[in-house]
Amino acid sequence: MAADPIDPAALTWLLDTDPALRWQVERDLADAPEDVWRATRARVATEGFGARLLALQDDDGQWAGGAYFPVGFTGPEPADGDGQPWTATTWSLNDLREWGVDASVLGDTAERLARSSRWEYDDLPYWDGEVDACINAYTLANGAWLGADVSGLGRWFVEHRQPDGGWNCEWVEGSTRSSFHSTLNAVRGLLWHEVATGGSDELRAARHAGEEYLLERRLLHRLSTGDLVGPWATHLAYPFRWVYSALKALDHLRAASLHDGTPPDPRCAEAVESVRAARRPDGTWVQERRHAGRAWFEVDVPPGEPSPWLTFHAARVLRWWDDAA
């Protein structure tokens, strides 16, 4: 099929956004010259979302005084439904990395975290990771970005892969089956690490096995019954956080496909069409929900409004898919 171009008015709307999003729109949808999008990307550290979040960093390198949770956090927060806060170090690093902030801007953050930050689980050192697959995936990616030694965490993913090819954060509770959520976060972290460091054949094979776990299920279904794995699979919500969605999975598989030099896998077709079907006549996608929990500040719109971030991710996935077809 012919490529389905983004609506020109929607593209103009996306270009009128914070530098953290704008540079990606310029590169991946507007086909701007590299010097243009790189100049916009450099502004993320000094303007808008990126500058605001960098200014909130503690002197010891952390955010909100904690590794995964803010200091003093004891349980789900009641505001807007039970949810964890998204203000601590790991989530702040995730945002800055994904917004394109250059690691040099954070100076000696990796060293400061090595000295001062400990996981809430068993007081373990920050760059050694802990037992949760999702947390370790974020740490693997953030460590590779900041230049920390996270080679031990790479081996952790090889050693803790489930027999069916993926990962499950509940393995410590005895689970022997993979989770959509955990597996997607794991392969995302492995790809970030691979792009930053070159990776290894062993880690690349682990990533491919995790991706195959999701593809066998067409990104949406239980392998055993063919039923939709859960209502969250088709929800459109940004920021993505730790929660699985077909759009988040497609966004990863697009990046993996381009990195590996391989075409889109045809088993993505149903998930792609579910994303296409959610597009409104004006070429935008609507924020359906927001994952509950305290944030430093909101970077996207409330539920029910057209979302620049979701529109960007969805349009980029469709462009990748349609261009290949």
Side-chain angles (χ1 to χ4, degrees), residues 27-271:
R27 184 189 65 181
D28 297 333
L29 295 180
D31 298 321
E34 184 172 349
D35 62 329
V36 171
W37 64 257
R38 284 198 179 278
T40 305
R41 182 175 179 173
R43 290 166 45 202
V44 179
T46 58
E47 300 178 27
F49 300 151
R52 289 180 67 184
L53 189 52
L54 285 166
L56 293 164
Q57 187 178 18
D58 302 332
D59 290 341
D60 65 1
Q62 299 189 106
W63 277 260
Y68 191 76
F69 298 111
V71 64
F73 177 72
T74 57
E77 299 183 320
D80 300 319
D82 288 344
Q84 73 169 83
W86 312 105
T87 54
T89 301
T90 295
W91 294 107
S92 297
L93 290 177
N94 286 354
D95 285 341
L96 292 168
R97 171 172 52 82
E98 293 180 0
W99 292 343
V101 172
D102 192 271
S104 63
V105 171
L106 284 98
D108 65 346
T109 291
E111 291 77 12
R112 283 186 283 163
L113 293 178
R115 292 193 300 267
S116 63
S117 190
R118 315 285 293 193
W119 292 108
E120 290 79 13
Y121 180 90
D122 275 3
D123 199 39
L124 295 169
Y126 191 80
W127 294 120
D128 289 354
E130 46 126 287
V131 298
D132 185 284
C134 297
I135 292 174
N136 285 350
Y138 305 142
T139 309
L140 182 71
N142 290 333
W145 167 52
L146 293 178
D149 180 5
V150 287
S151 54
L153 271 180
R155 292 190 297 273
W156 187 96
F157 281 94
V158 174
E159 295 165 357
H160 289 82
R161 196 158 56 86
Q162 299 281 5
D164 57 10
W167 291 265
N168 194 327
C169 296
E170 301 296 328
W171 72 272
V172 289
E173 307 298 331
S175 177
T176 57
R177 293 190 301 175
S178 296
S179 152
F180 273 61
H181 306 286
S182 303
T183 299
L184 178 55
N185 287 316
V187 295
R188 280 165 56 92
L190 286 165
L191 181 61
W192 270 97
H193 177 269
E194 186 177 324
V195 171
T197 69
S200 67
D201 290 343
E202 187 176 40
L203 293 185
R204 192 172 299 108
R207 172 172 66 84
H208 287 160
E211 292 162 354
E212 180 64 20
Y213 169 88
L214 298 173
L215 288 165
E216 283 181 328
R217 292 153 178 82
R218 291 173 288 148
L219 311 187
L220 292 168
H221 301 285
R222 298 184 185 279
L223 192 61
S224 56
T225 64
D227 294 337
L228 185 70
V229 66
W232 36 263
T234 56
H235 281 165
L236 294 175
Y238 192 88
F240 293 133
R241 307 303 188 193
W242 59 263
V243 182
Y244 181 93
S245 72
L247 176 57
K248 180 179 171 183
L250 288 166
D251 186 68
H252 165 76
L253 290 169
R254 171 194 170 274
S257 168
L258 295 175
H259 177 70
D260 292 339
T262 56
D265 192 293
R267 291 171 291 181
C268 294
E270 183 182 354

Side-chain angles (χ1 to χ4, degrees), residues 267-290:
R267 291 171 291 181
C268 294
E270 183 182 354
V272 168
E273 295 313 312
S274 75
V275 171
R276 196 190 307 274
R279 181 175 51 190
R280 302 195 320 167
D282 65 357
T284 66
W285 278 258
V286 168
Q287 178 91 288
E288 293 181 355
R289 63 189 298 255
R290 182 179 282 161

Side-chain angles (χ1 to χ4, degrees), residues 311-323:
T311 298
F312 163 68
H313 284 288
R316 183 169 70 170
V317 160
L318 293 186
R319 187 183 199 195
W320 160 70
W321 180 264
D322 292 345
D323 281 355

